[in-house]
Amino acid sequence: MRAPAMLRCAAALALLLAVAAPAAGFYLPGVAPSDFAKGDPLQVKVNKLTSIKTQLPYTYYSLPFCKPATIVDSAENLGEVLRGDRIENSPYVFQMREPKMCQIVCKATIDEKAAKELKEKIEDEYRVNMILDNLPLVVPIARQDKNSFAYQGGYHVGAKGQYAGSKDEKYFIHNHLSFTVKYHRDDDSELSRIVGFEVHPYSVKHQFDDKWNGADTRLSTCDPHASKFVTNSDSPQEVEAGKEIIFTYDVRFEDSEIKWASRWDTYLLMTDDQIHWFSIVNSLMIVLFLSGMVAMIMLRTLYRDISRYNQLETQEEAQEETGWKLVHGDVFRPPTNSDLLCVYVGTGVQFFGMLLVTMIFAVLGFLSPSNRGGLMTAMLLVWVLMGLLAGYTSSRLYKMFKGSEWKKITLQTAFLFPGVAFVIFFILNALIWGEKSSGAVPFTTMFALVLLWFGISVPLVFVGSYLGFKKPAMEPPVKTNKIPRQIPEQAWYMNPIFTILIGGILPFGAVFIELFFILTSIWLHQFYYIFGFLFLVFVILIITCAEITIVLCYFQLCSEDYMWCLAYCTSGTCSSPPMPSLC
């Protein structure tokens, strides 16, 4: 009866695959779409002020901008807080598909302190970030060919300039915002979905003839009744203490053919895919070169050595062994700092598991940039869960080295690297807090991080270490000599520091182009979503590190140096300086 059942299951599976094959995939952001009827209110939210010069974010209302009656903070996840996001409501009021012109937000008189802060933010090129229906605000900038646009995230607080005939530099604030909301209308109903949020900022010294009546005041510099609109910054608003600044805005709605599922393409558009392909080809060439070296060693050198050893006819010849076979009785000797090596290996497995799982989810599209902070939150959660593998790996290696104090190695695995990282993070956070930046992590978030560490990661490390230590120890294939063999004097090019540094060059060469784009996205506040390229480079990096380690370790053993634990540092120098001596 089992065979027919299996056939039926196979037939059902084949039918399911046949039905699913024609299905077309599309990009689906991490939030559900929102439909708006004409006249529905649109909530415009403000986010942090960011700069590519200082990297310190600040809250929007740290500057003398117009404020709503009540400031409401939006709920944020762990990743958003760690990134310095501070999402709040704004005084800008939109109604779906109802344009507004020359709307007055407020009038503010800035004092000496506010003027100083505005000038500092303009000098450091800070940008204002806003959000509408989970879409970030962008400034379209025409390219040289005039046929396409580049998009800058957020608009600058202001600009520096000079009056005609004067050499003195002045600071001007962007106090008029011309918003453009792009929407896609449903063919079967009057409902619409927002697919774009753009702005053109202007600096305008507004004037009004009658007395000030708040939002009902009629401006002479921006009057829809007289068909006078702001289209340039010929008469800019200067930032000076005691001067009044009137903040205004326009909003127009533009019908778009872009569908909601594709609205993030503007932000994620890759204009340099040829460079990424060049990076992949460059990395593959390095991998092929190393693979050839490893194949030559395995198929020629080792085969020749083994054949020679098998053809020995006399005991005298057998005693004249040289090279890697000569150190077989010492190569499995525990290193001097075996505890530290076990901790490094366990932490490395934890890192590897976190990167692999996070990258797989990112490639599958689960960590969309529309879900702000999702990537960092996922990395933290996967990191603490991978404590199980860290404890298991370190205890297994520790037991192979004949260690007996498994609780000691477990505590070192659970606290060494996370402790160092937390101390550095705490010091940096204190410095950022002293600058009154929104990037400073609040006490409640700090407590949540400590709770994740002590409440989840540490217990999982202990569970993994207990399971690993219960298993029988891994036995080496040969016996270890009681008396260690003296290592002969090595050639200059076999010096550990030299080989370790050389070993990091090739892996770094395989990933440096993609690393450039990652760091650019971090420091320049850009979206990074080319996880397909990143995953390929990640796989190439793993292969490159493994192959360069095998090659250099083989050369080391051929020189009768059995301190193989230095091979752990060989590929690690592609991202960090040499670690403390493990042997």
Side-chain angles (χ1 to χ4, degrees):
M1 295 294 293
R2 295 180 61 184
M6 293 179 63
L7 289 175
R8 286 196 298 270
C9 291
L13 180 60
L15 179 62
L16 181 62
L17 291 175
V19 173
F26 62 94
Y27 172 77
L28 182 63
V31 293
S34 298
D35 295 316
F36 300 95
K38 185 176 181 180
D40 284 351
L42 303 179
Q43 300 296 326
V44 180
K45 298 181 179 181
V46 292
N47 201 350
K48 60 186 177 182
L49 307 174
T50 57
S51 170
I52 61 175
K53 293 183 66 175
T54 69
Q55 300 301 321
L56 286 178
Y58 291 89
T59 59
Y60 176 82
Y61 293 114
S62 62
L63 293 181
F65 292 129
C66 301
K67 299 180 181 180
T70 304
I71 298 177
V72 180
D73 294 328
S74 300
E76 297 176 328
N77 56 40
L78 182 61
E80 286 179 296
V81 177
L82 293 177
R83 291 175 65 244
D85 287 343
R86 299 295 183 267
I87 302 174
E88 300 162 313
N89 61 328
S90 75
Y92 297 98
V93 180
F94 296 175
Q95 275 79 38
M96 188 63 184
R97 291 161 50 194
E98 292 186 359
K100 295 183 178 180
M101 307 301 293
C102 300
Q103 295 294 303
I104 297 176
V105 186
C106 72
K107 183 180 70 170
T109 302
I110 57 174
D111 54 18
E112 190 71 35
K113 180 180 178 182
K116 181 181 177 181
E117 290 179 349
L118 276 172
K119 290 179 180 179
E120 289 177 351
K121 297 299 185 291
I122 295 173
E123 180 71 32
D124 292 333
E125 299 179 6
Y126 270 86
R127 300 176 186 173
V128 177
N129 295 281
M130 294 185 178
I131 300 170
L132 176 63
D133 190 34
N134 206 44
L135 272 183
L137 180 68
V138 294
V139 178
I141 302 174
R143 298 183 186 273
Q144 292 182 352
D145 56 9
K146 304 296 183 180
N147 295 325
S148 60
F149 289 91
Y151 293 92
Q152 169 193 291
Y155 69 91
H156 286 99
V157 173
K160 291 194 301 180
Q162 301 170 342
Y163 289 112
S166 174
K167 295 183 179 180
D168 296 333
E169 277 197 336
K170 300 292 184 179
Y171 295 86
F172 305 100
I173 186 173
H174 287 143
N175 60 324
H176 180 85
L177 303 177
S178 181
F179 293 104
T180 300
V181 178
K182 296 182 178 181
Y183 64 92
H184 181 79
R185 188 184 303 181
D186 187 7
D187 296 334
D188 300 328
S189 66
E190 287 297 314
L191 298 178
S192 304
R193 293 178 177 178
I194 296 174
V195 295
F197 187 33
E198 301 175 359
V199 69
H200 288 278
Y202 300 100
S203 179
V204 181
K205 187 176 183 180
H206 285 298
Q207 304 287 342
F208 56 94
D209 299 329
D210 299 329
K211 64 178 181 178
W212 179 257
N213 293 321
D216 297 327
T217 304
R218 188 167 178 175
L219 302 176
S220 59
T221 49
C222 184
D223 188 0
H225 300 91
S227 298
K228 190 173 184 179
F229 305 111
V230 176
T231 57
N232 55 58
S233 299
D234 290 342
S235 57
Q237 174 64 60
E238 187 177 340
V239 177
E240 287 295 339
K243 287 192 175 182
E244 294 181 341
I245 301 177
I246 300 175
F247 292 89
T248 57
Y249 71 97
D250 303 332
V251 56
R252 67 186 185 91
F253 292 85
E254 181 180 309
D255 196 358
S256 174
E257 296 297 325
I258 300 175
K259 295 185 178 180
W260 184 87
S262 304
R263 66 177 188 166
W264 274 85
D265 290 353
T266 299
Y267 303 89
L268 309 178
L269 183 63
M270 285 198 323
T271 58
D272 48 10
D273 54 346
Q274 293 183 352
I275 298 178
H276 291 279
W277 281 117
F278 171 77
S279 171
I280 297 295
V281 173
N282 172 64
S283 303
L284 286 175
M285 294 300 294
I286 294 176
V287 170
L288 291 176
F289 169 72
L290 288 176
S291 300
M293 290 189 64
V294 173
M296 181 183 66
I297 290 172
M298 295 301 177
L299 298 180
R300 289 189 57 188
T301 311
L302 284 181
Y303 179 77
R304 185 175 63 247
D305 289 346
I306 293 173
S307 298
R308 188 174 72 246
Y309 293 139
N310 291 336
Q311 293 172 2
L312 295 176
E313 296 179 355
T314 65
Q315 186 66 23
E316 289 78 8
E317 292 180 354
Q319 292 176 354
E320 295 178 0
E321 296 173 350
T322 58
W324 59 271
K325 192 173 177 64
L326 190 61
V327 296
H328 70 274
D330 295 281
V331 76
F332 289 102
R333 189 180 306 281
T336 304
N337 295 323
S338 58
D339 292 6
L340 195 59
L341 178 62
C342 295
V343 173
Y344 280 172
V345 173
T347 305
V349 170
Q350 189 175 9
F351 258 116
F352 178 76
M354 176 199 69
L355 291 174
L356 183 63
V357 173
T358 305
M359 207 167 296
I360 289 175
F361 277 97
V363 169
L364 295 177
F366 291 104
L367 299 178
S368 164
S370 63
N371 182 17
R372 285 179 302 274
L375 182 63
M376 186 170 292
T377 303
M379 291 179 68
L380 285 173
L381 293 179
V382 175
W383 163 263
V384 298
L385 294 177
M386 287 297 166
L388 185 70
L389 296 182
Y392 181 84
T393 305
S394 61
S395 64
R396 288 282 285 157
L397 192 59
Y398 181 68
K399 193 171 184 180
M400 189 188 78
F401 291 149
K402 309 301 180 185
S404 57
E405 300 178 2
W406 70 274
K407 294 181 181 178
K408 173 186 172 183
I409 201 68
T410 303
L411 288 173
Q412 290 180 354
T413 305
F415 290 101
L416 180 61
F417 175 79
V420 172
F422 185 81
V423 169
I424 296 175
F425 173 74
F426 185 82
I427 295 174
L428 292 177
N429 189 69
L431 295 175
I432 295 175
W433 179 80
E435 294 291 331
K436 298 181 180 179
S437 168
S438 65
V441 177
F443 174 77
T444 53
T445 306
M446 191 78 72
F447 179 76
L449 293 175
V450 174
L451 188 63
L452 285 174
W453 181 13
F454 285 89
I456 301 178
S457 181
V458 174
L460 286 178
V461 172
F462 269 89
V463 171
S465 186
Y466 173 76
L467 295 176
F469 210 78
K470 274 184 62 177
K471 286 187 168 291
M474 295 180 288
E475 295 294 335
V478 294
K479 291 185 178 180
T480 304
N481 296 333
K482 293 183 179 180
I483 301 176
R485 174 186 178 83
Q486 184 177 0
I487 300 175
E489 186 176 352
Q490 302 292 305
W492 66 269
Y493 53 83
M494 292 307 297
N495 184 283
I497 296 180
F498 181 78
T499 56
I500 287 173
L501 291 176
I502 290 298
I505 292 177
L506 286 178
F508 178 77
V511 300
F512 80 96
I513 294 180
E514 204 64 35
L515 185 65
F516 166 78
F517 286 100
I518 295 174
L519 295 178
T520 300
S521 66
I522 294 174
W523 299 120
L524 301 185
H525 306 287
Q526 297 175 357
F527 291 102
Y528 185 89
Y529 199 61
I530 44 178
F531 293 109
F533 284 109
L534 185 61
F535 186 76
L536 287 176
V537 173
F538 178 64
V539 173
I540 291 173
L541 176 65
I542 295 171
I543 297 174
T544 307
C545 288
E547 290 180 341
I548 194 68
T549 304
I550 291 172
V551 171
L552 293 180
C553 187
Y554 174 76
F555 291 155
Q556 181 181 347
L557 295 178
C558 286
S559 301
E560 301 181 15
D561 183 359
Y562 53 84
M563 294 297 184
W564 59 267
C565 51
L566 287 172
Y568 181 84
C569 307
T570 299
S571 57
T573 51
C574 69
S575 61
S576 64
M579 290 167 281
S581 177
L582 299 175
C583 300

